[in-house]
Amino acid sequence: MSATPRAIELAQLAAQAAADKLARDVRAIDVSDHLPLTDVFVLASAPNDRQVRAIVDAVEDKLREAGAKPVRREGEREGRWVLIDFIDIVVHVQHEEERDFYGLERLWKDCPMIDLQLDDSGSGSGSAEDATGADATGADEASGSRADD
C-alpha cells in the first residue's frame, strides 16, 4: 500500500506553503506501509523559533483552504519542534538543531520519499538546496566539490 492521492496532494500543498516561508530542506516521506495512523510525514526546518511558528501558521492556513483541518498541534509553545496532525499527513516543522539531533529521515530511511514538485519561482527554497549553497548530496555548487571530501 502507498500513500493516497489525497495525502500526496496535501503533502505537496504543505511543502509549498513551508517553502514559501523559506523553510529549509523540505521533504516528504511515505510512511503508509509502516504506520496505520498516517500516510505521509512532511519535514521542514527553520533556523529560529519565530520562523518555525511562521511556517506552521502558513502550512495550517494552506491546508485549511484545501479542506483539511488539523486534529492535533503540539510543541507550539516551545517553537522548536511543532507537529501538526492532519490525519492523512503529519507535518513536522523543526528548529534545525532538533532536525539534526532527532534525524527523522534516518529513522524512516526504508520508506520512499515523495516528489514534492515545489515551485522554484516563489520566495521559498523550492529545491533540496539549503541556505549554504550545498544541495542535498552535499555538493557545493560553486566548486563542484563534496562537502564531506
Side-chain angles (χ1 to χ4, degrees), residues 4 21 24 39 44 47 62 65 71 74 83 99 121 126 141:
T4 65
K21 289 294 180 179
R24 297 180 179 176
D39 284 350
K62 186 63 137 180
E65 290 173 12
V71 295
E74 295 183 13
L83 178 147
R99 178 103 178 243
S121 65
E141 289 180 344

Side-chain angles (χ1 to χ4, degrees), residues 8-67:
I8 292 171
E9 174 193 4
L10 292 176
Q12 290 170 333
L13 288 170
Q16 188 63 58
D20 289 346
K21 289 294 180 179
L22 304 179
R24 297 180 179 176
D25 200 17
V26 179
R27 298 179 185 209
I29 304 170
D30 181 341
V31 296
S32 60
D33 285 340
H34 300 280
L35 286 177
L37 303 174
T38 192
D39 284 350
V40 178
F41 280 171
V42 176
L43 311 175
S45 46
N48 59 63
D49 302 354
R50 180 177 287 174
Q51 190 173 358
V52 167
R53 289 184 185 98
I55 293 166
V56 166
D57 290 343
V59 167
E60 192 169 312
D61 290 347
K62 186 63 137 180
L63 292 187
R64 278 186 191 274
E65 290 173 12

